[in-house]
Amino acid sequence: MSELSKREKIFLTLSRKQTGYIPVIPSATSFAITNSPYGAECRKDSQKFAEAMVSARRYFGYDALWAGLFQGVTSCMGQGLEDKNGKISQSGDGTIQKPEDLKKLRPFNIEKCVQLHFIKENIRLLKQEEPEEPIIAIMDNPSMVASALMDGGNYYYHLVHNPAFVHELTEMVFEPLTLCAQEIIAAGADILWLPLPTIGGTCISRQHYQEFCMPYNKRFNQKIIQAGGKLIIHTCGNWNDRFDLVTTEGAHCLHIAEADLGMLKKTYGNTTALMGQIPSVFTMMLADPKQVFAQSLADCLAAAEGGGFILSPDCGMPGKTPAENIKAMVAAAKEAERILAGKC
């Protein structure tokens, strides 16, 4: 039997299969840009962006390439409108304050979406440079876009005081987001990574999550999978009161934080792969390599047996993360593979 490719190993991991390999995938977009000689230029130049991603991945030996963050639906539909401070918005954030504002939203034109063209070009160059590495693209889901357009606090207010307003806006952005997800997957993104910080337990109740987020999540996740994409949901923050819900929404993997990794593996490991959860700041950035190694090894031994585990910091890896700490994380995964003797 021929050796599995990197992509095959990671796809099997997302399907909770054993490969004898523990992928190490830090959320490293900002880290790679910060440590590139081009810096912020990478955010507008696909050639420089791809060089930054590839260089960092090769140097540190971790897995997969990040194609960048897509928030083009928010910017295209809300761009040019006044935000909550009365300023003309380029990002679209905070431009929908009341139901009447829905009429002001610009129709989404996929051909004019600059962010979409940028991320597709990033994907093309990354595939050209490292064809065996899986490519991950970051994007918001419908609830996240609705929250951004309304501004977080205003979104939370209307969950209680005007539910119909929230539902209407979330529905309005659903189809544009679906079209963009399909385009990104067709361009060659293997995995979509959806960070959901504003709809976790730190921000909204379980009841509001069930009513305002879960139905859209299920539909959107299904569209991604039907388009041929793999899906990782980043449960950013405290999701301990709703893991039983999010694990029914169809994602291949949960990238977790602030949770008992071993308990999640025991409870949900037969249906959902897990990713995480080395503290990004207190361990990856501020601790020494021995501490990083110990935490990384502990996470692997808690969740990698039986397959279905990706080692990663619990959120985006800070730009000032020491090189020695990243190498310690990668080394710990190799040590866990040795200890588990093929049972991962």
Side-chain angles (χ1 to χ4, degrees), residues 229-293:
K230 302 294 184 182
L231 177 60
I232 298 174
I233 298 295
H234 177 33
T235 56
C236 189
N238 188 338
W239 283 62
N240 288 293
D241 71 340
R242 61 201 66 185
F243 280 118
D244 61 320
L245 302 179
V246 71
T247 50
T248 68
E249 293 175 2
H252 296 94
C253 179
L254 298 185
H255 184 180
I256 64 168
E258 301 181 31
D260 184 325
L261 186 55
M263 183 61 69
L264 287 180
K265 178 71 172 185
K266 182 179 179 180
T267 308
Y268 303 111
N270 62 333
T271 57
T272 308
L274 297 172
M275 179 174 175
Q277 69 164 344
I278 313 158
S280 297
V281 176
F282 293 109
T283 302
M284 287 303 302
M285 188 171 76
L286 299 177
D288 63 43
K290 289 183 179 179
Q291 292 170 298
V292 173
F293 184 91

